[in-house]
Amino acid sequence: MAHLLTESWINEFFFIAVVLSASSFFGFTIASRIKSILPGPQDNRFDQPFKRIKNIFKHVFAQSKMWRRPSIGLAHFLIFWGFCMVSLGTIAFLLEGLRFHVGWAQNFIFLGIQDFFTVLVIAAVLFAFFRRLVLKPNHVRLSGDALFILGMILCLMVTDLCIDGASATLKGELKSQAWASFSLAHFLGFPNWSPSVLAGFHLVNWWIHLITVFLFLCYLPFSKHFHVITAAPNIFFGTLIPWGRMKTLDLENSEHFGVDRLDQLSWKQKLDTLACTECGRCSDACPATTMGKKLDPANIIINLRHHLEHKDVNTSLHGQTISEEELWACTTCAACMHACPLTIEHIPAITDMRRHLVLMEGKMPEEAMLALRNLEQKGNPWGISEQERESWLDTQGITPLNEGDSVDLLFWIGCAGSFDDRSKKIVLAMIKILNHAKISFGVIGKHESCTGDPARRIGNEYLFQMLVQGNVEALNKFNYKKLLTICPHCMNSLKHEYQEFGLYNSKILHHSVFIKELMDKGLIRLKEAQASQTVTLHDSCYLTRYNDIVDAPREALKSVPGTQLIEMKRHGKSNFCCGAGGGRMWMEEDKSARVNVQRAEEAVQTGAQTLITECPFCMTMMRDGTRAMSEKERADPMVVKDIAEWVSEHLA
Amino acid sequence: MNIAVCIKQVPNTEAQVILNDGILAFSDPKKIINPYDEFAIEAALRAKEQAFPDASVTAITLGPESATEALRTALAMGCDQAIHITHEPHPGWLAPLTVGQAIGAALRQVDLVFCGRQGIDHDDFTVPYVIANAHQMSCINVVKEITYKPEEKKLWVVRESDGGQKEYFECPMPAVLGISIGLNKPRYPSLPGIMKAKKKAIESLNLTDLVSDSNCTWIQPSTYELPKAKEACKMIKGDIAEQASELARILKEDLHIV
Ligand code: SF4
Ligand code: SF4
């Protein structure tokens, strides 16, 4: 941006005064923000710097998550890069104001590129205005804040062009390379203006631009556009730990467990609240919000920020800021975290607050309490005698291993597989596949207990650790190389959470992946296709978003001759939860708006004949969902089958 | 002011009864607090919180070493102290009269005693009355509702009989109350509560110091017999005609009914 400072010392004095006071104000605000987020438990986010830098390239420079909606992705991409280019111009503008000579800023190539971005930003801002004021999509919250910020950006861009056009005209250097300011100057007829009027015009624009720059800077920390500053650090410090591994609490040496007050959230969890742009992507993806429940992940983050900004650090977050109803509605499906372009971590915040309710106050929905009591007393959430784990295997002629036995593949049957009649059929189907492929395996019967996944996600870390210790002790009595399970929740816990408690190192496999492996090795022979059969696949959140398992089940299904997979609109990593995760399986749900019914509708809409699941809990939820739908529509419910059942039915 | 709550450790409700060489055992070694007693603990804690803030709540049990686990749970829920009455191992179990006498003797000064209405293992419905008798206290069992009148040292108690009719009592203190399910919602112990309970001392008393040998009655059946396992249904396969002829054949040839 070319600069033409008048000789007046008053001008210079005010310039310096504005720069100094605005910078100190901005510096002070930032320092106080940093101070406000610092107190809290340790949270080391400085490890693996290269991975973190890679994330900056991915999520900041390439804006990878924004492209999921291409038109918005493009607009934001242009605004982002335009903003960076224009900021270079602003830096030059300020340096020149301080009487430094900035050669590159006069370079016509730079001016040309900068003009290009300035115009792009103007176009993007106008589109953003149009979207907010005319199109009004659901997830975008119309706020004065957003309009004010957009207005300021527009003002900066327009004044920028005016300054450049006027200054070049006055210097007699109006060149077509700076095409936008050149065109504007000709459009407004600058060459015909008297020099004094043009100089006045320049001065006014110059001051408006300067004041807007600093107004923007000083206003930022108070607005959701603070993300302009916080986004990059938030992404840099984003978690590198698998989402499926919840933070372990030190039960022996702590006095408080979970989060009641802000100073019990780590600095990064508080930085998250300052980074949120209120874009609503997380809410859009959230099954609870979609079904009209009180939980809205964006609100959780925004309300924490309001608490941080306006309330005493000693006031409890529970009650006014975050209600119990919101916390208990979460299925920990991670759709929010997957959707958030700023890699904000909603689930740890939610489960940390649940931990406070359960561990410190003994508060939770009654049904959740019953599930925890069953886990404590019986070792499984169903509350059925542990004896059943062995007695039903016995009816199938399967004898558990003896302590010390060695086996290549250990089949972890899990609670659903042991106590739920429908899930037992999945186990049998998997055994049929193993026998077909001549894979020997062992089970450990009554040595199994619940992995503790529901206890941990409901918030009872104490019970979780007790169950883990029991299971690790039990598992370590056997020698095995691979651990197979039909339950994504068991798999997730065993894979990500058990090593820390001393589980013998082995490969932990979900059955869909193992089936695919067996197919690849040519160990599975399938029947010739009789007729084409259409299926749709309901992904498990704990497979896709937590463990990156998207393709294996699809490829396995497609390998079955005659099977035609029709995808639901939301599938793979963008799948919609069944409603059972995070311990929700064990809690009542308002019958009027149930997550599983919504998902069942999506499955039915594909027109596929069969709905395939890959998790015993999804199976229960989808069966209930399809039945509820069929009652409404008086039709036969859609058939729901586990992927193991589908493959086993097609064995040659 | 002293409040006591009597609890018992019982076999897991889901455990199957098995016979090992003629000795009764359970498929699942995990034991639990008698479910009625959980409501009694909650009632005792609420009595303190709602009416007698200065009271001290003592949980008391009689049983083997493992019974201390039940006491730890009671402490974690909020009881102030715990007493464990121990006895020599015995293949049988103690008569409820002996249990009541032992507990009665262990509780020296007491104004309110809460018990579960019955133990789910032997269903005797007896211990509350024996304790009341030992201390000459009022006693109401199968209590559904309680209102405290601390100034008058009285309680309003609603008792529900089997048929569902309600009986209202004005009950003078000291009193023994047998608590039924549904009186309250037992609280979930907090983790700091559990941690503190782990470290608390449990007072240990010996049965023989409380009840003389001649008054100690042990119950031990001569033999046991377990109920016969239900015979599984037999499903007849085939189409209707095949099923009908197979049914006829079974009735005639196997069962000799027709
Ligand atoms: S984890 Fe799922 S249910 Fe919970 S807030 Fe996020 S999107 Fe909503
Ligand atoms: S948490 Fe992330 S996705 Fe949700 S509103 Fe904030 S920035 Fe958007």
Side-chain angles (χ1 to χ4, degrees):
Chain A
M1 187 180 316
H3 171 64
L4 186 94
L5 196 61
T6 55
E7 293 304 307
S8 152
W9 65 269
I10 302 184
N11 214 20
E12 204 158 321
F13 172 78
F14 278 114
F15 174 77
I16 291 175
V18 167
V19 172
L20 280 183
S21 48
S23 318
S24 352
F25 182 80
F26 176 73
F28 175 78
T29 323
I30 295 294
S32 73
R33 284 302 160 88
I34 293 177
K35 204 173 141 214
S36 76
I37 66 169
L38 282 184
Q42 272 196 353
D43 193 353
N44 179 13
R45 303 287 181 122
F46 292 90
D47 57 331
Q48 309 182 55
F50 293 112
K51 239 188 185 166
R52 295 183 182 282
I53 291 168
K54 200 175 127 202
N55 282 344
I56 290 279
F57 276 93
K58 192 165 152 201
H59 297 303
V60 181
F61 297 146
Q63 313 240 306
S64 61
K65 289 200 182 184
M66 300 299 291
W67 291 97
R68 288 186 195 148
R69 290 193 194 124
S71 61
I72 296 164
L74 181 66
H76 195 272
F77 187 79
L78 293 176
I79 292 195
F80 170 77
W81 280 106
F83 196 85
C84 291
M85 280 308 292
V86 172
S87 298
L88 280 179
T90 307
I91 291 168
F93 168 84
L94 294 175
L95 289 174
E96 284 178 347
L98 294 166
R99 301 211 165 251
F100 288 100
H101 177 70
V102 192
W104 51 265
Q106 308 299 339
N107 182 304
F108 281 112
I109 299 173
F110 175 74
L111 287 177
I113 296 175
Q114 215 208 340
D115 272 19
F116 170 74
F117 278 106
T118 307
V119 171
L120 270 182
V121 172
I122 292 178
V125 166
L126 290 177
F127 173 69
F129 267 122
F130 178 71
R131 197 158 152 259
R132 278 176 172 74
L133 297 173
V134 184
L135 296 179
K136 298 183 180 168
N138 279 340
H139 64 275
V140 176
R141 295 147 201 256
L142 182 66
S143 67
D145 176 58
L147 298 181
F148 183 53
I149 289 276
L150 286 173
M152 274 198 283
I153 298 176
L154 189 63
C155 173
L156 283 173
M157 298 302 112
V158 173
T159 49
D160 181 33
L161 291 181
C162 290
I163 295 167
D164 282 355
S167 121
T169 314
L170 284 170
K171 288 189 201 156
E173 292 172 354
L174 204 53
K175 297 246 170 68
S176 60
Q177 285 93 334
W179 57 277
S181 49
F182 177 84
S183 317
L184 183 82
H186 281 285
F187 177 71
L188 295 176
F190 286 168
N192 306 328
W193 291 22
S194 81
S196 59
V197 173
L198 195 54
F201 178 79
H202 172 269
L203 189 68
V204 169
N205 273 291
W206 191 88
W207 272 105
I208 295 178
H209 190 83
L210 179 77
I211 290 173
T212 314
V213 165
F214 283 105
L215 193 62
F216 187 79
L217 198 64
C218 293
Y219 180 72
L220 267 188
F222 301 95
S223 106
K224 65 173 193 157
H225 288 76
F226 195 26
H227 83 274
V228 172
I229 292 161
T230 48
N234 204 57
I235 287 167
F236 181 82
F237 292 124
T239 185
L240 299 180
I241 293 170
W243 292 357
R245 182 185 304 153
M246 278 177 65
K247 183 172 61 197
T248 298
L249 297 185
D250 179 353
L251 300 178
E252 296 300 330
N253 303 307
S254 322
E255 273 167 17
H256 190 279
F257 308 96
V259 167
D260 178 34
R261 302 185 319 243
L262 272 178
D263 58 353
Q264 289 153 350
L265 282 173
S266 80
W267 62 271
K268 172 59 176 57
Q269 288 179 303
K270 279 174 279 203
L271 181 62
D272 272 352
T273 72
L274 299 180
C276 174
T277 67
E278 303 183 20
C279 71
R281 282 177 174 75
C282 53
S283 322
D284 254 12
C286 173
T289 317
T290 307
M291 299 319 291
K293 300 188 195 304
K294 206 172 162 205
L295 169 65
D296 175 335
N299 273 347
I300 296 273
I301 301 298
I302 297 165
N303 290 341
L304 287 174
R305 159 145 105 207
H306 288 168
H307 196 103
L308 179 71
E309 285 170 344
H310 304 296
K311 296 219 173 125
D312 186 83
V313 66
N314 289 319
T315 43
S316 171
L317 296 168
H318 294 275
Q320 278 193 343
T321 304
I322 310 280
S323 68
E324 288 177 32
E325 193 186 333
E326 289 166 86
L327 296 176
W328 294 119
C330 177
T331 68
T332 67
C333 72
C336 49
M337 290 179 47
H338 177 67
C340 180
L342 287 125
T343 66
I344 285 171
E345 295 151 37
H346 312 72
I347 301 175
I350 291 174
T351 46
D352 277 350
M353 286 188 275
R354 281 185 176 186
R355 282 171 160 175
H356 167 82
L357 289 177
V358 172
L359 295 175
M360 298 305 292
E361 300 188 23
K363 275 193 201 161
M364 71 202 87
E366 242 175 84
E367 318 88 57
M369 199 182 283
L370 180 68
L372 293 187
R373 286 223 161 97
N374 283 337
L375 284 172
E376 268 159 40
Q377 296 176 352
K378 321 271 164 61
N380 66 80
W382 272 268
I384 297 175
S385 164
E386 285 288 273
Q387 189 60 30
E388 176 66 11
R389 288 190 197 267
E390 272 181 18
S391 17
W392 102 265
L393 288 173
D394 198 41
T395 60
Q396 303 303 318
I398 300 163
T399 318
L401 297 171
N402 291 316
E403 284 180 23
D405 280 356
S406 298
V407 66
D408 197 50
L409 181 73
L410 201 152
F411 190 175
W412 176 268
I413 306 290
C415 298
S418 304
F419 301 108
D420 174 60
D421 285 342
R422 183 63 189 84
S423 308
K424 287 178 184 174
K425 293 186 183 159
I426 306 177
V427 173
L428 293 180
M430 192 60 221
I431 290 177
K432 190 174 160 197
I433 296 174
L434 293 173
N435 290 338
H436 170 96
K438 303 205 167 50
I439 302 285
S440 67
F441 66 95
V443 299
I444 61 169
K446 65 174 191 289
H447 291 280
E448 277 188 22
S449 282
C450 169
T451 57
D453 158 87
R456 192 170 224 195
R457 277 143 192 92
I458 286 173
N460 195 336
E461 177 74 4
Y462 177 65
L463 180 55
F464 168 76
Q465 292 191 14
M466 268 180 6
L467 290 164
V468 176
Q469 273 155 16
N471 281 327
V472 168
E473 249 169 59
L475 278 167
N476 287 353
K477 286 179 191 155
F478 302 88
N479 300 308
Y480 56 90
K481 293 200 187 84
K482 293 178 195 156
L483 198 56
L484 171 72
T485 154
I486 58 155
C487 173
H489 298 267
C490 289
M491 187 205 77
N492 180 72
S493 261
L494 291 165
K495 185 168 172 185
H496 296 304
E497 300 186 319
Y498 268 55
Q499 259 73 29
E500 196 181 339
F501 295 91
L503 181 69
Y504 167 74
N505 213 356
S506 69
K507 195 168 171 197
I508 291 153
L509 289 161
H510 182 254
H511 69 310
S512 65
V513 176
F514 194 56
I515 291 174
K516 173 74 183 39
E517 265 185 42
L518 295 178
M519 285 178 165
D520 288 348
K521 286 185 190 152
L523 295 172
I524 293 186
R525 282 161 293 109
L526 295 157
K527 279 191 257 191
E528 287 304 314
Q530 310 283 325
S532 158
Q533 295 163 303
T534 49
V535 301
T536 187
L537 175 67
H538 165 76
D539 292 279
S540 147
C541 309
Y542 273 68
L543 289 188
T544 54
R545 287 187 284 267
Y546 279 94
N547 286 290
D548 218 2
I549 298 175
V550 177
D551 298 333
R554 291 183 159 71
E555 283 161 17
L557 280 175
K558 286 182 198 160
S559 309
V560 177
T563 302
Q564 194 197 335
L565 176 66
I566 309 175
E567 294 283 12
M568 286 186 249
K569 200 166 150 224
R570 303 192 249 201
H571 64 270
K573 288 201 170 182
S574 305
N575 79 306
F576 192 71
C577 179
C578 71
R584 285 246 28 118
M585 171 77 190
W586 310 104
M587 298 178 224
E588 281 301 322
E589 193 181 358
D590 172 14
K591 288 220 163 44
S592 58
R594 293 199 334 224
V595 175
N596 57 340
V597 180
Q598 163 74 31
R599 186 56 170 167
E601 269 178 41
E602 295 179 14
V604 171
Q605 272 161 18
T606 60
Q609 294 156 313
T610 307
L611 169 57
I612 304 288
T613 56
E614 32 183 40
C615 163
F617 298 101
C618 292
M619 163 68 78
T620 306
M621 295 310 254
M622 288 298 103
R623 270 183 15 121
D624 288 354
T626 47
R627 276 193 207 145
M629 266 197 73
S630 73
E631 270 167 34
K632 227 170 49 188
E633 293 173 3
R634 295 173 190 282
D636 281 344
M638 187 175 189
V639 182
V640 188
K641 284 190 177 151
D642 185 86
I643 184 165
E645 294 174 312
W646 189 256
V647 174
S648 80
E649 283 169 15
H650 291 82
L651 291 175
Chain B
M1 172 83 195
N2 291 313
I3 299 175
V5 53
C6 311
I7 61 177
K8 183 177 193 182
Q9 200 184 36
V10 295
N12 198 328
T13 44
E14 284 296 319
Q16 287 157 10
V17 183
I18 39 181
L19 277 183
N20 272 345
D21 293 335
I23 295 171
L24 205 63
F26 294 92
S27 64
D28 184 353
K30 271 191 216 121
K31 289 183 175 179
I32 58 168
I33 295 186
N34 179 35
Y36 294 104
D37 298 351
E38 288 187 22
F39 293 85
I41 299 172
E42 182 63 34
L45 296 172
R46 289 197 191 184
K48 173 176 170 167
E49 287 159 3
Q50 292 166 5
F52 309 104
D54 302 329
S56 139
V57 181
T58 305
I60 182 164
T61 193
L62 185 155
E65 191 48 43
S66 68
T68 52
E69 289 162 19
L71 289 175
R72 298 264 176 229
T73 307
L75 289 171
M77 285 172 79
C79 293
D80 300 296
Q81 58 252 331
I83 301 176
H84 181 197
I85 305 173
T86 58
H87 56 71
E88 295 299 313
H90 192 284
W93 64 90
L94 275 171
L97 194 65
T98 311
V99 176
Q101 280 172 346
I103 292 177
L107 297 173
R108 284 163 286 264
Q109 264 277 314
V110 69
D111 305 271
L112 262 179
V113 180
F114 294 89
C115 305
R117 55 180 257 180
Q118 80 206 78
I120 58 156
D121 47 358
H122 302 299
D123 291 334
D124 288 319
F125 280 93
T126 311
V127 172
Y129 301 106
V130 184
I131 299 172
N133 187 49
H135 286 271
Q136 295 302 304
M137 299 157 91
S138 337
C139 182
I140 301 177
N141 203 359
V142 198
V143 168
K144 276 282 186 181
E145 257 174 74
I146 314 168
T147 318
Y148 299 98
K149 296 188 173 172
E151 318 77 41
E152 301 166 43
K153 293 218 117 204
K154 274 183 189 157
L155 319 166
W156 255 107
V157 177
V158 183
R159 178 183 184 281
E160 198 174 87
S161 77
D162 246 7
Q165 86 265 14
K166 285 186 174 171
E167 299 157 0
Y168 293 83
F169 296 92
E170 192 185 55
C171 171
M173 281 170 58
V176 181
L177 302 176
I179 305 299
S180 200
I181 279 173
L183 178 85
N184 52 40
K185 288 184 181 144
R187 67 194 63 188
Y188 197 79
S190 73
L191 185 53
I194 295 172
M195 293 303 190
K196 257 189 249 154
K198 276 190 184 173
K199 291 180 195 135
K200 264 195 190 161
I202 291 176
E203 187 184 343
S204 176
L205 300 176
N206 206 313
L207 175 66
T208 48
D209 297 332
L210 299 169
V211 184
S212 66
D213 269 356
S214 57
N215 279 340
C216 254
T217 312
W218 288 93
I219 298 177
Q220 194 182 0
S222 311
T223 52
Y224 293 96
E225 189 186 316
L226 295 184
K228 286 217 169 63
K230 279 193 204 129
E231 277 190 26
C233 293
K234 184 169 180 184
M235 300 301 283
I236 304 175
K237 291 193 181 121
D239 62 25
I240 295 281
E242 284 165 0
Q243 285 180 17
S245 62
E246 174 64 4
L247 178 63
R249 191 198 61 76
I250 292 173
L251 291 175
K252 212 162 132 195
E253 293 171 19
D254 295 356
L255 302 174
H256 310 293
I257 293 175
V258 285

